[in-house]
Amino acid sequence: MNQPAKLNADSLGIVESVIMGIAGTAPAYSIEITTSTIIGTAGTLSPASILVCGLIMFGIAYAFINMNRALASAGTSYSWVSMVFGRALGFFAGWALLVLCCVFMVSAMIPAANATLLIFDRPRMNNVHYVTLIAAGWLTFVSAVVVKGIKLTSYVQVLMTLVEGVILLVIIVASFFMFPHAPQHPFSLAWFSPFAFSPKLFANGALVAIFFFYGWDVTMNLSEETRDSNHTPGRAAFWSMVFLMVFFLVFITITLLGLSDSEIQHYNTNIIFAIAEKLFGPTWGYVSIIAVLLSTVGTVETQMLQFTRTLFAKSRDGALHQRYARLHPRWQTPHIAIFFIWITGLVLLFVSSYLPTINIILQDSITAIGFQICFYLGLTGFACGWYYRQTLGEGVWRAVTHVIWPVASGCFLFFIALYSIPTFDWVTNLVGMGGIAIGAIPLALNRRRIWAAQPN
């Protein structure tokens, strides 16, 4: 009998794992793309939205930490939900992650290409063919790095994240020296109060705020390649979440202090550029774009890791074709899975450049993947609560972190997902819910293949 494929164990330490978790959420990219939307939705209560959703995500983080201690697996949500609730529901949890990773990677390549042309060849920024070619180039670069092994991937990620971090740190420090003297929005502690919301305003703000925290769980997808696989990824996830919550709270506060409502609306998806330009002039505005570019490329890299490791785990278990579980003999990476997402990404990129309707679907899918995020993270929260349900009598803190907090967070995420359905147009709902539902096809095909292979 063939031994199951094993990834390159003990490759990552705690520092690399933490940086992977931070990069997975793409701090600069998230701020740049989403800040104007959340401020437009929640106004000066945006920091409170970030704070509340961060606490909700900590419940999910504890679910991941606890389930990883029970079973360290590259499949994360797929493996844990399968273990607790059965393979069918586990399949859909993993499928939702596969779909949203694929769509997000391709969608994120467009802003990466735009940022590249903004720095090096601004007149061609609006040329769809140049944008597509640059996006394809970045996707190819990231795929080549990921296929060459987790150590090279981590080194590249550490370098990009450090450069991004230095640029953002300079902007943050300068902002606290300059903006409080003449704030565009007078500072108030009420900005951070979760009790100042109306129910509708809270739900609308949460729909946006939840996107800020997506991606930190890549640390768990890399658990089989991390030293002390049952504990180090969990510690990394915890500290990643602490850093991200503080960072997002600080930068949203800076934005409210430094930019007026009209400026936020005007700059829209160029918030960091606007702040840097206001602080230091046009040159630093362009330097800030480098941070956004590195953040975008970094999150695409972590998304590719999540996609390929989940696909690898599902294939290794027989839930999908076993070709995706094959490892490169030298680099110990799931090279066929990486090749698959690279080809899929290139096809979607080039099709979207010629068919405007496809391009619109890709743009709408950034919103639609929020439904898929809530689905697989919420299921993980429920799986943790059910798996550890017997710990309710083993002390308050253990009951809270193993059952109550994860389950409450899962309920919140499912509420947000259901609440969002009437607010989406039909295309967004089709991508969001249809992307999950279409998983029934490979599930049915796989079941028939397994049953046919079983002896009578």
Side-chain angles (χ1 to χ4, degrees):
M1 183 176 178
N2 293 331
Q3 292 295 317
K6 293 184 179 180
L7 296 161
N8 196 2
D10 300 329
S11 297
L12 301 179
I14 182 66
V15 174
E16 295 161 306
S17 194
V18 169
I19 288 178
M20 284 290 189
I22 293 171
T25 306
Y29 174 82
S30 299
I31 287 290
E32 189 84 339
I33 298 299
T34 319
T35 297
S36 63
T37 304
I38 193 170
I39 292 178
T41 302
T44 55
L45 289 176
S46 298
S49 292
I50 294 293
L51 181 61
V52 172
C53 285
L55 293 174
I56 295 298
M57 274 297 183
F58 259 112
I60 300 299
Y62 272 113
F64 272 74
I65 291 168
N66 295 327
M67 294 307 294
N68 185 72
R69 287 173 180 164
L71 175 65
S73 171
T76 60
S77 295
Y78 151 72
S79 300
W80 303 327
V81 175
S82 296
M83 181 175 69
V84 177
F85 296 133
R87 292 192 67 182
L89 197 56
F91 183 94
F92 280 107
W95 182 261
L97 179 59
L98 291 177
V99 171
L100 74 91
C101 283
C102 182
V103 173
F104 180 83
M105 280 190 296
V106 175
S107 301
M109 284 290 87
I110 300 300
N114 281 326
T116 304
L117 289 171
L118 181 60
I119 297 170
F120 296 106
D121 197 351
R122 190 168 187 174
R124 291 178 172 171
M125 271 186 62
N126 296 321
N127 187 310
V128 66
H129 300 301
Y130 276 105
V131 170
T132 303
L133 285 173
I134 296 297
W138 274 119
L139 185 62
T140 301
F141 167 75
V142 172
S143 301
V145 170
V146 172
V147 80
K148 290 282 286 184
I150 190 61
K151 287 303 290 184
L152 175 62
T153 303
S154 68
Y155 292 151
V156 172
Q157 192 64 263
V158 167
L159 178 62
M160 291 192 297
T161 304
L162 287 178
V163 174
E164 172 193 352
V166 169
I167 295 172
L168 294 176
L169 181 61
V170 171
I171 293 173
I172 288 171
V173 172
S175 296
F176 278 116
F177 273 106
M178 295 183 63
F179 290 157
H181 298 296
Q184 297 294 325
H185 299 84
F187 179 78
S188 172
L189 288 177
W191 292 1
F192 303 90
S193 173
F195 304 106
F197 288 103
S198 67
K200 183 177 181 180
L201 181 62
F202 172 74
N204 289 336
L207 283 173
V208 183
I210 210 75
F211 296 131
F212 277 91
F213 293 100
Y214 167 65
W216 54 267
D217 51 315
V218 68
T219 59
M220 302 299 183
N221 290 100
L222 301 174
S223 61
E224 295 183 37
E225 298 157 272
T226 305
R227 291 190 288 274
D228 192 6
S229 59
N230 291 102
H231 297 92
T232 298
R235 297 187 189 106
F238 177 84
W239 289 112
S240 297
M241 279 295 301
V242 170
F243 171 86
L244 291 166
M245 180 180 284
V246 172
F247 172 81
F248 289 137
L249 285 172
V250 167
F251 227 101
I252 295 291
T253 302
I254 286 171
T255 303
L256 290 170
L257 290 173
L259 301 179
S260 66
D261 290 336
S262 60
E263 287 175 321
I264 293 170
Q265 185 178 10
H266 172 73
Y267 283 100
N268 194 13
T269 57
N270 291 292
I271 293 296
I272 299 177
F273 176 87
I275 293 173
E277 189 175 48
K278 201 167 190 177
L279 289 169
F280 305 112
T283 300
W284 256 88
Y286 285 99
V287 172
S288 71
I289 293 173
I290 296 175
V292 176
L293 174 61
L294 293 175
S295 181
T296 306
V297 173
T299 195
V300 169
E301 182 180 273
T302 58
Q303 290 291 295
M304 185 169 287
L305 289 171
Q306 284 195 285
F307 180 95
T308 55
R309 270 45 177 187
T310 302
L311 186 58
F312 164 81
K314 295 185 78 168
S315 301
R316 181 178 58 185
D317 292 349
L320 290 172
H321 197 287
Q322 292 185 347
R323 70 169 69 92
Y324 302 114
R326 295 174 190 165
L327 297 179
H328 192 277
R330 179 180 176 186
W331 302 320
Q332 292 298 291
T333 54
H335 58 294
I336 296 177
I338 296 168
F339 180 78
F340 171 79
I341 188 56
W342 174 64
I343 290 295
T344 302
L346 290 180
V347 170
L348 288 175
L349 277 173
F350 283 105
V351 170
S352 68
S353 70
Y354 287 99
L355 296 177
T357 53
I358 299 297
N359 195 35
I360 291 171
I361 290 174
L362 286 173
Q363 293 171 4
D364 289 344
S365 65
I366 292 294
T367 306
I369 64 173
F371 186 92
Q372 296 154 0
I373 293 169
C374 292
F375 179 77
Y376 91 88
L377 291 183
L379 281 178
T380 308
F382 295 147
C384 179
W386 186 253
Y387 184 81
Y388 286 101
R389 63 191 183 280
Q390 294 180 346
T391 65
L392 282 171
E394 297 179 7
V396 174
W397 180 245
R398 188 170 175 84
V400 168
T401 58
H402 287 65
V403 180
I404 298 172
W405 201 350
V407 170
S409 296
C411 290
F412 176 85
L413 291 175
F414 267 79
F415 162 74
I416 290 298
L418 295 174
Y419 179 88
S420 68
I421 293 174
T423 69
F424 291 160
D425 58 28
W426 72 270
V427 174
T428 306
N429 277 319
L430 180 64
V431 175
M433 292 185 287
I436 296 175
I438 202 172
I441 297 174
L443 176 61
L445 292 174
N446 175 72
R447 279 181 165 176
R448 285 201 296 267
R449 179 175 59 83
I450 291 176
W451 291 335
Q454 287 178 340
N456 293 327

